[in-house]
Amino acid sequence: MIRFWIIAMQLLIIPITMVGQDLNITGEAPNVVKVGERFRLVYKVDAKTDAPHIELPDAFTVLSGPGISQSTSIQIINGRQSTSFNLTFTYVLVADKEGKYTIPAAKVEKDGNTAQSRPITIEVLKADAGQQQSQSKSSQQAEKQDVRSGGSDFFVRVHISRNNIYQGEHLVATLKLYTKLSLAGFEDIKFPSFSGFFNQEIETPQQISLQRENVNGQIYQTGVIKKYVLFPQRSGKLTIDPFEVEAVVRERVRSNDPFDDFFGGRYRRYTIKDESPQTTVTVKPLPAGAPASFSGAVGNFNLETSVDKTSLKANESLTLTVKLTGEGNLKLVEMPKPEFPGDFEVYDPKIKPAIRVTPSGARGSITYEYLLIPRHEGRFELDPVSFSYFNPATRAYKSLSDQSFTIDVEEGDGSASGVVVSNYTKQDVANIGSDIRFIRSGNLGLKPMNTWFFGSSPFWLIYLLGAGLTIIVLLIRRKKIRENADQLRMRTKKASKVSKKRLRAAAKELRAGNDGAMYEAILKAIWGYLADKLAIDAASLTRDNVGDLLHEKSVPDELVEKLIRLLDDCEFARYAPAAAQTDSKTVYNNAAEIIGKLEKQIK
């Protein structure tokens, strides 16, 4: 019983001793994995925060996470008490592509403070066939032994917005889970292949948010895994394959030990699996009697056409812009090629899609830009562009046709053979003149024979100017390099001087009797000195890595241990001055002594 109360009092002290600590986050992951291999990405934070903000490369897929756990430890050594708190976020990932990838720094925020981890580099190797076969066999055996059926407590479904549509008409498929259990993450997810459909994924949040929902009189936690817009590509009965999910359940285990309840209880984990039923969609063929300009567009559309000019010279270019807007199977639309006069040279259009996928379907626009070059003068008519589509709402075909354009072409300079097009936009059209050049007359700027620019006065003037400019650029560059090097050298050189200034501030607090402020000033002096002397960012320095950094500078182990002990004493005494085991004056003298010894060791 006495032991119980001692532990309880120590736990009550934890929040007091943790207030004001710096916010730190560290990340861990294996350096090398193979394609198809699952691995854990773990972030540890020394304070209670939300899940870190991370951006994963496309080569990795999140199978589950974040799984959250926390731990608090108390150590009493020689009458001195120290506490530590860790919040761990665990993600289960799988590597999809071979290569070397870097996960950017993860960020967390708390009370206006922001901390970020170091980037993590992972090399993904190609998986050999033998390993893949053994992994698949072992995973199948594990499924038979450890994976349970979700039953009525956990199941997944594929919900479709409608099941009777026309070919090319869109429907929305929502992949959703239902659970009464406490889920800790996902082990594996197999999405449907959507055979017979053209599918586009609707953007949904990466982290699944569970909501309470009434399902046949039962309350479930439900969440949307993914959403897709589907466009059937053929008529008949189309089947959507099952959607499979393996999830990890975290279940509390009852215990007769009172200490288990006090410390949060015991939990066990197991895997459950469910597969959605097959879903059938009836796809009706499009009616007969489609117009000649119909190319498979289904939905509701508008057509706009324009030209950038109606008057130009022969061999100059103009652009015909055709813009199709609306909603439907825009990405599958094939625009009929307009008819142009035979005197016009036409290049393949430049296509600019601007399509958004939403739960109501795909909507936006596709712009076609045709580059046209008339080769002879005259007046030409550009016929209206025609486009047809099927509208499921009215169950009828509709044809669109915009205005025609009259183009006046004047006589150009030179013959038609003088134009070369390197691309299909008007900016890339260049006139290189005619095949037969006329005899020039007038002042031709002729020079006597045997007169050379090389060795002349203008040549030497240009040569000297060029050489002078080169020397000036090199001198400026060397000065910049020297200034950058000097900044790093001056920071290292002034480290001792800056630390002494901070120690004087600590001495001032010591004389005033402000022990807490004195310990804080000593910590700032030490961390600031180490950051300046080692030429790294202060935010990258932690109690865990400062020893390794000093060992790289050949600092003796004894001195490193004294430094870490001094940091621990200051951290403890900073928030509990009355419980400090070493008097403040001794701590101050030890800090000055250690900085002096480090100054001699680190060069």
Side-chain angles (χ1 to χ4, degrees), residues 310-316 374-380 407-413:
T310 59
S311 178
L312 71 164
K313 293 183 178 181
N315 299 324
E316 290 183 350
R375 293 306 186 185
H376 303 92
E377 66 273 12
R379 171 167 286 191
F380 301 92
I407 308 298
D408 293 321
V409 181
E410 300 177 0
E411 183 179 358
D413 300 329

Side-chain angles (χ1 to χ4, degrees), residues 373-541:
I373 301 178
R375 293 306 186 185
H376 303 92
E377 66 273 12
R379 171 167 286 191
F380 301 92
E381 290 290 332
L382 296 183
D383 295 334
V385 178
S386 298
F387 175 78
S388 298
Y389 66 92
F390 178 76
N391 189 335
T394 60
R395 302 179 182 180
Y397 293 97
K398 186 174 181 180
S399 297
L400 302 177
S401 181
D402 205 14
Q403 60 181 322
S404 62
F405 298 97
T406 301
I407 308 298
D408 293 321
V409 181
E410 300 177 0
E411 183 179 358
D413 300 329
S415 66
S417 61
V419 177
V420 171
V421 178
S422 59
N423 203 342
Y424 52 79
T425 59
K426 60 182 179 181
Q427 290 81 1
D428 296 324
V429 180
N431 191 329
I432 60 172
S434 306
D435 292 338
I436 302 175
R437 300 184 181 274
F438 297 98
I439 298 175
R440 294 179 59 188
S441 60
N443 185 8
L444 304 179
L446 302 177
K447 298 181 179 179
M449 294 181 63
N450 300 326
T451 300
W452 302 94
F453 176 73
F454 181 78
S456 64
S457 297
F459 169 80
W460 288 113
L461 179 61
I462 294 173
Y463 178 81
L464 293 175
L465 286 174
L469 288 174
T470 302
I471 294 172
I472 292 173
V473 170
L474 291 175
L475 291 175
I476 293 174
R477 180 175 175 79
R478 288 186 60 186
K479 182 180 178 182
K480 290 291 184 183
I481 295 173
R482 197 181 305 114
E483 287 177 353
N484 292 336
D486 288 345
Q487 289 177 3
L488 184 61
R489 194 180 302 114
M490 287 301 294
R491 181 186 177 190
T492 306
K493 188 175 181 181
K494 290 182 178 180
S496 178
K497 184 178 179 181
V498 174
S499 66
K500 289 179 180 178
K501 183 177 179 181
R502 290 170 176 163
L503 285 176
R504 284 197 295 270
K508 182 178 178 181
E509 300 294 345
L510 176 62
R511 289 192 296 271
N514 299 328
D515 289 348
M518 186 271 292
Y519 288 120
E520 184 175 358
I522 289 177
L523 284 173
K524 288 183 179 180
I526 294 174
W527 287 119
Y529 171 79
L530 292 173
D532 293 338
K533 199 66 179 177
L534 299 175
I536 61 177
D537 187 8
S540 301
L541 280 174

Side-chain angles (χ1 to χ4, degrees), residues 221-238:
Q221 295 286 338
T222 66
V224 175
I225 305 294
K226 281 187 183 295
K227 281 187 175 183
Y228 295 89
V229 173
L230 307 180
F231 298 91
Q233 299 301 290
R234 63 176 185 266
S235 58
K237 298 284 187 179
L238 299 186

Side-chain angles (χ1 to χ4, degrees), residues 504-577:
R504 284 197 295 270
K508 182 178 178 181
E509 300 294 345
L510 176 62
R511 289 192 296 271
N514 299 328
D515 289 348
M518 186 271 292
Y519 288 120
E520 184 175 358
I522 289 177
L523 284 173
K524 288 183 179 180
I526 294 174
W527 287 119
Y529 171 79
L530 292 173
D532 293 338
K533 199 66 179 177
L534 299 175
I536 61 177
D537 187 8
S540 301
L541 280 174
T542 64
R543 181 188 180 279
D544 297 329
N545 66 7
V546 68
D548 296 335
L549 295 172
L550 291 176
H551 286 148
E552 293 177 1
K553 298 293 184 179
S554 302
V555 177
D557 293 341
E558 181 182 358
L559 184 55
V560 174
E561 291 176 1
K562 286 183 178 180
L563 172 65
I564 294 176
R565 195 179 308 119
L566 175 63
L567 292 173
D568 292 340
D569 291 342
C570 291
E571 284 288 355
F572 179 74
R574 180 182 177 190
Y575 304 107

